[in-house]
C-alpha cells in the first residue's frame, strides 16, 4: 500500500505520557497507561484508515478490493472505540480531570459514546436499523484533493454491507483546512455522523495540553517506568516436550 503524508504522531517517544515517573502512585500510572494507549491506538487506526481510503480512491477504473473495505470499516470503528475509552478515562483521570481543557475534551467526545453503542449492542438494534433503513456498520465518507493548487475534490462514500438505504450525504469541505490527499473522513451510523478527522485533531490538541501539564510535575532526569518486553528460551528433545507455564515475578 502506498504511504501518504500524515500529521506527526500524536504521542512522540519522548512524551511525558510515555515517561510517567515511578514516583506517581499505582493508580495514577494505571490511568495514564490507559490514556496513552487509547490515544496511540486511535492515532494508529486513523493513519491506516487514511491510507486505505486513499487506496480505495484510486481504484475508480479497477475492480474493487473487498478486503480494503473491511480494513476501512474496522479501523473507523477502532477509532471510535478508542476515543470512547479515552473519554471515559479522562472523566476521572488523576491530575488533569479537573482542568478546563480536559472537561471540554470529554464533552466534545460525548457523541462518540452513542455511536460506539450502536455496534456494541448490534443484536438488540438490528430490527430498528431495518425499520429506519440504516446500514448495520454505517457508512464512511471522505474527500480526496490532489491538485496543487487545489482546483477540485473527489467525494466518496462507502456503505458497508449489502443493505443500502436510498440517501447518502457526501462530506462538505468548504471553509476548512485540508490535509492532502485524504481528509474530512466521516463515519455515519445510527442516524448520527461524526467527523473522525476533526476528532483526531482535537485529540492531538488535548494531548499537547496534557503533556504540558505533566511536564510541570516531572523533575528532570526523574526515573520513569514504561513498556516491558520479556523473552525466554526453552530447549527440548524429540522424546519430551516441556509443559507448564513459566512465571516471572516482580516485587
Amino acid at each position: 500500500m502506498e504511504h501518504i503524508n500524515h500529521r506527526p504522531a500524536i504521542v512522540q517517544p519522548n512524551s511525558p505520557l510515555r515517561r510517567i515517573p515511578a514516583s506517581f502512585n499505582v493508580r495514577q500510572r494505571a490511568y495514564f497507561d490507559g490514556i496513552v494507549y487509547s490515544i496511540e491506538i486511535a492515532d494508529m487506526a486513523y493513519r491506516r484508515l487514511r491510507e486505505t481510503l486513499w487506496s480505495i480512491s484510486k481504484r475508480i477504473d479497477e475492480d474493487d478490493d473487498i478486503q480494503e473495505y473491511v480494513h476501512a470499516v474496522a479501523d473507523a470503528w477502532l477509532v471510535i472505540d478508542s476515543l470512547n475509552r479515552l473519554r471515559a478515562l479522562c472523566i476521572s483521570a488523576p491530575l488533569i480531570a479537573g482542568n478546563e481543557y480536559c472537561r471540554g475534551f470529554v464533552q466534545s467526545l460525548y457523541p462518540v459514546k452513542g455511536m460506539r453503542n450502536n455496534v456494541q449492542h448490534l443484536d438488540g438494534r438490528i430490527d430498528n436499523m431495518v425499520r429506519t433503513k440504516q446500514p448495520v456498520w454505517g457508512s464512511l465518507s471522505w474527500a480526496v484533493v490532489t491538485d496543487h493548487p487545489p482546483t477540485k475534490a473527489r467525494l466518496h462514500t462507502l456503505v458497508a454491507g449489502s443493505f443500502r438505504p436510498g440517501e447518502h450525504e457526501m462530506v462538505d469541505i468548504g471553509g476548512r483546512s485540508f490535509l492532502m490527499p485524504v481528509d474530512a473522513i466521516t463515519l455515519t451510523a445510527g442516524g448520527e455522523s461524526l467527523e473522525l478527522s476533526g476528532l483526531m485533531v482535537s485529540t492531538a490538541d488535548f494531548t499537547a495540553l496534557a503533556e504540558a501539564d505533566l511536564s510541570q510535575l516531572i523533575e528532570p532526569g526523574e526515573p520513569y517506568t514504561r513498556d516491558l518486553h520479556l523473552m525466554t528460551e526453552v530447549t527440548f528433545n524429540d522424546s519430551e516436550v516441556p509443559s507448564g507455564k513459566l512465571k516471572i515475578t516482580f516485587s
Side-chain angles (χ1 to χ4, degrees):
M1 182 179 294
E2 179 184 348
H3 292 291
I4 59 177
N5 291 327
H6 299 283
R7 291 187 174 89
I10 294 178
V11 178
Q12 296 293 318
N14 62 348
S15 166
L17 286 166
R18 275 286 177 198
R19 296 170 177 260
I20 300 301
S23 60
F24 280 28
N25 64 48
V26 175
R27 183 175 182 273
Q28 291 170 332
R29 298 203 306 269
Y31 259 94
F32 286 113
D33 281 348
I35 286 171
V36 72
Y37 261 93
S38 295
I39 294 169
E40 291 186 293
I41 291 171
D43 195 23
M44 173 193 70
Y46 180 72
R47 288 163 179 270
R48 284 194 316 224
L49 175 59
R50 287 189 74 234
E51 296 197 357
T52 301
L53 295 181
W54 172 237
S55 179
I56 292 172
S57 302
K58 295 186 298 178
R59 289 182 177 273
I60 297 174
D61 299 320
E62 303 175 22
D63 292 338
D64 57 1
D65 184 340
I66 298 299
Q67 286 302 305
E68 285 190 325
Y69 295 167
V70 175
H71 292 166
V73 172
D75 277 333
W77 284 107
L78 181 53
V79 170
I80 291 293
D81 189 59
S82 298
L83 291 182
N84 183 61
R85 186 174 298 110
L86 177 61
R87 177 197 62 81
L89 287 166
C90 287
I91 290 173
S92 51
L95 307 176
I96 63 172
N99 295 332
E100 184 177 350
Y101 72 85
C102 189
R103 294 197 304 269
F105 180 61
V106 168
Q107 185 65 29
S108 72
L109 290 183
Y110 186 77
V112 172
K113 178 181 179 182
M115 184 164 284
R116 177 257 188 190
N117 287 341
N118 275 309
V119 293
Q120 196 70 16
H121 307 289
L122 271 182
D123 56 327
R125 295 177 180 268
I126 291 291
D127 289 341
N128 182 64
M129 290 176 172
V130 171
R131 185 168 54 254
T132 56
K133 298 182 179 180
Q134 299 173 23
V136 173
W137 288 99
S139 62
L140 271 171
S141 302
W142 68 97
V144 172
V145 176
T146 57
D147 294 342
H148 296 278
T151 58
K152 62 183 178 181
R154 282 185 170 173
L155 308 181
H156 298 257
T157 292
L158 167 64
V159 183
S162 62
F163 180 56
R164 302 188 184 101
E167 291 186 4
H168 301 287
E169 291 188 3
M170 296 294 192
V171 294
D172 180 4
I173 60 171
R176 58 164 294 149
S177 60
F178 195 93
L179 180 61
M180 297 172 68
V182 179
D183 207 347
I185 302 171
T186 301
L187 178 63
T188 299
E192 302 293 334
S193 295
L194 287 178
E195 191 197 297
L196 304 186
S197 301
L199 289 175
M200 294 309 300
V201 171
S202 297
T203 301
D205 292 342
F206 158 78
T207 302
L209 293 170
E211 289 173 334
D213 263 0
L214 287 174
S215 294
Q216 302 299 315
L217 302 173
I218 300 175
E219 297 293 333
E222 188 172 358
Y224 61 91
T225 56
R226 51 155 293 175
D227 309 78
L228 176 66
H229 172 204
L230 301 174
M231 189 277 289
T232 189
E233 183 176 287
V234 297
T235 59
F236 50 90
N237 56 40
D238 294 337
S239 61
E240 183 178 353
V241 177
S243 61
K245 295 181 178 180
L246 293 173
K247 294 183 178 180
I248 299 177
T249 303
F250 296 93
S251 57

